[in-house]
Amino acid sequence: ACMEAGRPVDSETKYRLVEQDQPLPLNTSESEVPSFIASKVSQYSCQRKTTLNNYNMKFTDAFEIMAENYEYKESEILCLEFLRAASVLKFLPFPVTRMKDIQGLPCMGDRVRDVIEEIVEEGESSRAKEVLNDERYKSFKQFTSVFGVGVKTSEKWYRKGLRTLEDVKADKTLKLSKMQKAGFLYYEDLVSCVSKAEADAVSLIVKNTVCTFLPDALVTITGGFRRGKKIGHDIDFLITNPGPREDDELLHKGLLLYCDIIESTFAKEQIPSRNIDAMDNYQKCFAILKLHQPRADNSSYNTSKKFDTAEVKDWKAIRVDLVITPFEQYAYALLGWTGSRQFGRDLRRYASHERKMMLDNHGLYDRRKRIFLKAGSEEEIFAHLGLDYVEPWERNA
Ligand code: DCT
Ligand code: MG
C-alpha cells in the first residue's frame, strides 16, 4: 500500500513539515532569509546536502513518475533528466511556489520546467496524471513490483498481451525464474514496506548469525536505513571480515525463505567499470528472510478462538541484501551501497568528468597517476575526490 510513484513512498515525509525537529536555516532570526544562491548550486548531488526534508514533494513525486515511465520505455537520458531535477528540488531548503524560485538552478531543462509550471499553476501535472493512467505504465508498475522482475521481463510479458499480475499468474506457459517464484509466493509481504523496527530486528538476526561463523566480522546496515529513512523496500547489509578471507555460507537455513547467492566475479587487476550504473563484483546474497513477529492482537476474533491461532501467520517475509566485501574495499562498498542511487551516480559522474578518476563500489582509480587510491573510510574517499564530506543522512538525493 505504500508503493507509489515507482518506489516505496516514505509516508513520514508527508508529515515532516509538522514534526520536523531540526528546522533547516541555522542561526537566522525570523526576518532573515537563509542565504541561498541558486547559481551556486552544483549540478552534482554529491556536492549538495540532501536530507529527507523534502519541501517539494508535489514536484518530485511527479518527476519520479515521469522518470519511471521513461525507464520503462528504456529512454535513459529522459529518465535521468527527471531524476536529476527531482534531486535538485529535494535539496531546496524551501518550497517552490513560482517559476522565479527555480531561476538559476541546474538541471531545469524545458521538459522539467513545463511540469513545474503546470504544478505551480494548477496544483498538479497533467502529464504525470496521464502516465499514471497509461496502460503500459500501469502494467509495468505491477510487473516490476514482483521481486525478480525487471523492465526486460515486463516488456516480454506486455508484448505477450499480459496486463495484470492475475494475467501473469494465469498464464501457465510462462517460465518463471526461481527468484520470481519466490517473489509471487511472498508478494503481499514484500510489497508492504519494511519498517525501521523490522530492520532493527533483522539486523540483530543477521549480526548474531554472521557472528557464529565469523566472530570478527563487521556487519553494517547500508541503503536507505543508513541514510535515516524510516521505511524501505529491503534491508541492505555489508559484511566484511578483517583478516583471512572466508566467505562461506552465512545463514541458518530455517530463516531463509529464498536465497540467491551471486558468487564474486572480482578480478584483481580489473580497472573500475566505465558504466555509470554498473553492478559490482562482490559476492552477494539476495535473500528473503523470515522475521517472526507475534502479531498484535488487533482482532478479538483470534483470541476468542484460541485453537485457531495456529492458522495465523506469525511472521513476515522481508527482502534482505547481503553484500560481502574484502576488508580493503569496505569503504568503497559502504559508500556505494549507502546510496542514494542518484547520489552514487553523481559521485561517479563527478569523479570521471571533474577529476579524471574512475569510481565504483570496489575502488577509485586515478587515470592520470595510473594508480588505485586506497581508502579506509568514506571520509578518505571524499578527500581523494576533493569533495567536502557528506554525511549518510545528507545523501538522500
Ligand atoms: N547499489 C549499488 N549497486 C547495486 C545495487 C544497489 O551500489 N548493484 C546501491 C545504490 C543504493 C543502495 O545500493 C541500496 O539500494 P536499494 O536498496 O535499491 O535502495 P535504498 O536507497 O536502500 O532504497 P529502499 O529504501 O527502497 O530499499
Ligand atoms: Mg534498500
Side-chain angles (χ1 to χ4, degrees):
C2 53
M3 295 294 282
E4 210 179 85
R7 54 214 71 207
V9 166
D10 188 349
S11 59
E12 301 207 347
T13 52
K14 290 188 181 137
Y15 308 104
R16 189 153 293 119
L17 286 174
V18 184
E19 63 175 24
Q20 150 202 352
D21 45 20
Q22 280 180 308
L24 264 172
L26 307 161
N27 58 39
T28 50
S29 73
E30 278 139 307
S31 58
E32 265 180 298
V33 177
S35 62
F36 178 83
I37 304 163
S39 60
K40 292 230 169 117
V41 174
S42 169
Q43 62 153 315
Y44 299 105
S45 62
C46 54
Q47 291 186 304
R48 308 190 294 255
K49 295 182 176 191
T50 314
T51 65
L52 288 166
N53 241 313
N54 181 359
Y55 292 94
N56 290 292
M57 196 129 64
K58 239 184 357 181
F59 303 96
T60 58
D61 281 355
F63 292 175
E64 283 171 358
I65 292 165
M66 301 294 288
E68 192 172 40
N69 191 43
Y70 286 125
E71 187 190 342
Y72 295 162
K73 293 181 167 173
E74 297 183 64
S75 334
E76 199 192 345
I77 293 170
L78 292 174
C79 173
L80 279 178
E81 184 178 324
F82 278 97
L83 288 180
R84 284 185 191 148
S87 172
V88 169
L89 292 199
K90 283 180 189 175
F91 147 87
L92 273 199
F94 56 84
V96 169
T97 57
R98 351 157 254 190
M99 289 314 279
K100 230 181 123 227
D101 292 336
I102 62 161
Q103 221 168 49
L105 287 176
C107 311
M108 298 289 133
D110 288 343
R111 268 175 292 257
V112 166
R113 298 178 67 90
D114 285 350
V115 174
I116 297 179
E117 191 156 23
E118 202 188 354
I119 296 177
V120 162
E121 281 165 12
E122 312 290 334
E124 56 184 18
S125 158
S126 60
R127 286 194 187 82
K129 268 174 93 177
E130 258 165 48
V131 169
L132 288 177
N133 285 317
D134 180 68
E135 187 177 30
R136 190 187 140 94
Y137 173 86
K138 285 195 283 192
S139 296
F140 273 60
K141 181 87 188 159
Q142 278 189 58
F143 295 164
T144 55
S145 72
V146 179
F147 175 51
V149 180
V151 175
K152 290 265 145 57
T153 306
S154 301
E155 182 81 55
K156 216 165 64 192
W157 292 352
Y158 193 80
R159 282 216 199 116
K160 282 190 87 176
L162 306 174
R163 294 294 177 266
T164 65
L165 289 181
E166 298 315 310
D167 295 347
V168 173
K169 279 188 258 182
D171 188 334
K172 297 299 169 206
T173 66
L174 288 181
K175 245 184 97 63
L176 298 180
S177 70
K178 215 180 110 216
M179 203 179 217
Q180 292 159 354
K181 280 182 189 152
F184 277 110
L185 193 52
Y186 305 113
Y187 184 76
E188 292 306 325
D189 275 0
L190 298 187
V191 290
S192 85
C193 295
V194 183
S195 68
K196 179 71 172 59
E198 287 163 342
D200 289 338
V202 168
S203 188
L204 272 181
I205 298 171
V206 171
K207 281 179 182 166
N208 281 335
T209 315
V210 168
C211 210
T212 62
F213 294 93
L214 307 164
D216 302 322
L218 229 71
V219 180
T220 313
I221 211 163
T222 64
F225 287 110
R226 183 160 184 255
R227 302 196 309 274
K229 279 177 62 176
K230 298 283 194 293
I231 61 168
H233 92 283
D234 68 356
I235 316 171
D236 308 285
F237 290 97
L238 202 57
I239 302 166
T240 194
N241 195 28
R245 274 181 85 165
E246 197 186 327
D247 24 39
D248 275 326
E249 229 171 293
L250 288 162
L251 288 166
H252 287 307
K253 286 280 184 247
L255 292 174
L256 268 186
L257 298 170
Y258 171 87
C259 181
D260 187 11
I261 295 181
I262 316 289
E263 285 308 326
S264 164
T265 51
F266 184 62
K268 207 140 196 202
E269 298 312 324
Q270 203 171 310
I271 274 170
S273 164
R274 278 171 184 277
N275 181 350
I276 291 266
D277 269 323
M279 262 276 216
D280 54 52
N281 306 299
Y282 295 124
Q283 184 190 29
K284 49 182 90 67
C285 176
F286 301 124
I288 300 175
L289 214 74
K290 187 178 205 167
L291 178 65
H292 286 282
Q293 43 180 202
R295 283 279 151 98
D297 273 62
N298 44 16
S299 133
S300 55
Y301 187 74
N302 284 341
T303 41
S304 58
K305 288 185 161 192
K306 277 242 164 64
F307 37 85
D308 271 2
T309 48
E311 306 282 321
V312 177
K313 180 166 155 265
D314 65 347
W315 53 270
K316 181 178 168 183
I318 296 196
R319 274 274 301 111
V320 172
D321 285 348
L322 303 173
V323 180
I324 295 109
T325 79
F327 191 61
E328 319 80 67
Q329 299 174 21
Y330 180 73
Y332 287 102
L334 182 61
L335 182 60
W337 277 89
T338 296
S340 67
R341 269 167 204 280
Q342 188 58 30
F343 191 88
R345 265 187 214 116
D346 280 345
L347 266 176
R348 295 189 288 273
R349 196 160 59 95
Y350 180 86
S352 80
H353 293 9
E354 307 294 331
R355 301 283 170 199
K356 298 259 182 299
M357 291 182 186
M358 292 156 97
L359 174 72
D360 68 10
N361 290 353
H362 296 278
L364 180 62
Y365 182 73
D366 187 323
R367 288 168 55 199
R368 281 187 259 224
K369 294 185 189 153
R370 298 188 187 182
I371 50 166
F372 285 94
L373 302 170
K374 286 196 169 58
S377 66
E378 291 180 314
E379 283 86 344
E380 287 175 41
I381 304 173
F382 281 87
H384 283 321
L385 288 166
L387 286 170
D388 289 338
Y389 184 62
V390 179
E391 297 282 0
W393 57 90
E394 298 167 333
R395 299 180 203 160
N396 287 291

